[in-house]
Amino acid sequence: MPEQGKTPLRKLLRVPAGGVDLSAYDAGAKPGGPRDKKAGLAATADMGEELAGLQDRLWASSTAGDPRRVLLVLQGMDTSGKGGTVKHVIGMLHPYGTHTKAFKAPTAEEREHHFLWRIEKEVPRAGEIGTFDRSHYEDVLAVRVRELAPPEEIERRYDEINRFEQRLADDRVTLVKCFLHISYEEQRRRLLRRLDRTDKQWKFSPDDIDDRALWPAYQRAYEIALSRCNAPHAPWYLIPADRKWYRNWAVGRLLLEHMRALDPQYPKPGYDVEECRRRLLGE
Amino acid sequence: MPEQGKTPLRKLLRVPAGGVDLSAYDAGAKPGGPRDKKAGLAATADMGEELAGLQDRLWASSTAGDPRRVLLVLQGMDTSGKGGTVKHVIGMLHPYGTHTKAFKAPTAEEREHHFLWRIEKEVPRAGEIGTFDRSHYEDVLAVRVRELAPPEEIERRYDEINRFEQRLADDRVTLVKCFLHISYEEQRRRLLRRLDRTDKQWKFSPDDIDDRALWPAYQRAYEIALSRCNAPHAPWYLIPADRKWYRNWAVGRLLLEHMRALDPQYPKPGYDVEECRRRLLGE
């Protein structure tokens, strides 16, 4: 496959330092992407081998003390395709060395702790590629929109998130935060599709319709989070996600660019290869 | 793809109640399997869709209270292909709803607890397909061969394992225990291959050669475990594993047969589909 375009996606999709007006971003766009769906599916499949190879090297390298790991954070409105991205992108990797966590509404025990307590426990270990489907950002998104915490506490959380992510970066975690941006209309289509299919109806709840009334408030909460927690070592990427094939391609491509930059290497053997070969052959 | 043969693999590969003499089993055999490697790879790939579909139904069903889950246990000598099986079989499933755990030598903390303590924590939850790469069986295999516990304690463990697995089965865990059976010669070939490849040398340790002296003791320990912990609700399967393509096909096929027997169903919606459709369309 020829490389798509010349500009790295990590530049093209990077949320600018000044923040964003989400309504100005076309959720159906495909910046830097393949021409059409067919080319997009092929290009995504083509990434699999290189991604899995880089994952293998990252893992191997960790066995020799390399502390580096990757954390992919997926955020987006209901039906924006967080689960689908895990299936199609993370599904290309070896199950070992990946660690995927879907954060639901906090349990009673989790609510008794600091909001980062449950997050901390799921941070990937050296050599791993971790994925968060929802994350600590829910504590400044859902919690803000639904007024589940006092405003001054939510206010404090942006700084706490920034310090937490700074610490992760210091600890050699490569953060790749992706906001899957879908349109209000596309969400309606996806919800209708869930209603139409007996194998998808279980994913639907009438609450999903009620929640659509909160759409503008959520978009605003995302704009604030994307602007206030967007350090160079913990960047946000805005992924137009109305087209599933583009979304998968873009997230896969971002992961690939970050993994290539890490460029992990297989460790040199700490034993005498020739001697071991002789011993095995001479048994 | 036509079905391979008529006899279910869960009958063909089942370790008989009386136990086994491993030396009588050809690790290069392919009972019930496709004719050759090409057909085997195709047949395995063809299972992917049905397996993923059954997994989706099992998961969906759990959201409506179905407590059932699956636990695949993989055991075998070094290089027998436990990790490769995870990659090629579990890798066909959605990362959500799978839970894979590789058990290493117990940590200091784990050694302070009962040997089942760390196992218990990794048992799959309702709707999940769990995989253990090594398991509680190491506590009657490695521990027995290396004399890491008093004989009378090891003796007790077989019964403890049986009670533990009985409880899992009562708790609606479908157990599928696979012993990946390779030959002494094939292990030599695989170790030599690791030495030959710079991207595999990190997986090798000179200890792997020393351990080969323990081969007969390990085979004996496996025979004992396969005979003493082999209840109908926690069956052992003996997978000839010298051919990687057969091993993957056979484990995939066993998983498929067990999932088909579970036959999980999508839950019926607990809301009025038509009304929700009208609301969405009328927004």
Side-chain angles (χ1 to χ4, degrees), chain B residues 140-142 144-145 158 216-226:
Chain B
V140 292
L141 294 165
R144 182 185 184 105
V145 170
Y158 296 102
Y218 265 107
Q219 297 288 299
R220 183 70 198 123
Y222 267 110
E223 286 171 349
I224 297 168
L226 265 54

Side-chain angles (χ1 to χ4, degrees), chain A residues 134-196:
Chain A
R134 303 187 189 273
S135 66
H136 42 298
Y137 281 97
E138 290 299 323
D139 295 284
V140 292
L141 293 166
V143 170
R144 182 185 184 105
V145 170
R146 294 169 192 281
E147 300 176 356
L148 302 173
E152 59 277 14
E153 181 172 337
I154 294 170
E155 201 52 32
R156 220 170 29 232
R157 288 184 180 176
Y158 296 101
D159 294 334
E160 291 180 326
I161 288 175
N162 283 330
R163 282 196 295 269
F164 171 64
E165 293 182 348
Q166 175 69 62
R167 181 156 60 74
L168 292 185
D170 291 345
D171 222 16
R172 314 302 298 276
V173 179
T174 294
L175 277 150
V176 183
K177 302 185 297 188
C178 296
F179 170 59
L180 308 182
H181 178 46
I182 57 165
S183 63
Y184 188 72
E185 259 314 295
E186 178 64 16
Q187 189 190 58
R188 184 210 309 268
R189 277 190 292 271
R190 291 186 184 181
L191 289 175
L192 283 168
R193 215 171 302 143
R194 286 187 180 175
L195 286 174
D196 287 342

Side-chain angles (χ1 to χ4, degrees), chain B residues 17-51:
Chain B
V20 283
D21 168 5
L22 285 178
S23 68
Y25 282 81
D26 175 7
K30 42 188 176 72
R35 187 172 349 140
D36 55 21
K37 182 173 176 179
K38 194 181 158 199
L41 293 178
T44 304
D46 278 351
M47 274 182 242
E49 199 173 333
E50 187 179 354
L51 269 175

Side-chain angles (χ1 to χ4, degrees), chain B residues 60-135:
Chain B
S61 174
S62 78
T63 65
D66 186 340
R68 294 179 299 171
R69 52 278 205 33
V70 174
L71 175 56
L72 179 69
V73 173
L74 299 175
Q75 284 285 164
M77 301 296 286
D78 278 345
T79 77
S80 62
K82 301 179 288 294
T85 305
V86 168
K87 178 176 179 178
H88 292 285
V89 178
I90 302 304
M92 292 193 287
L93 303 175
H94 195 308
Y96 286 162
T98 63
H99 175 74
T100 305
K101 174 69 185 175
F103 289 98
K104 311 287 181 193
T107 62
E109 189 192 14
E110 287 167 350
R111 277 198 307 273
E112 285 174 14
H113 291 272
H114 188 271
F115 75 99
L116 292 172
W117 179 75
R118 64 176 189 158
I119 308 294
E120 194 82 63
K121 293 193 286 184
E122 305 292 341
V123 169
R125 285 169 297 181
E128 283 185 339
I129 298 177
T131 306
F132 287 175
D133 171 339
R134 305 189 188 273
S135 65

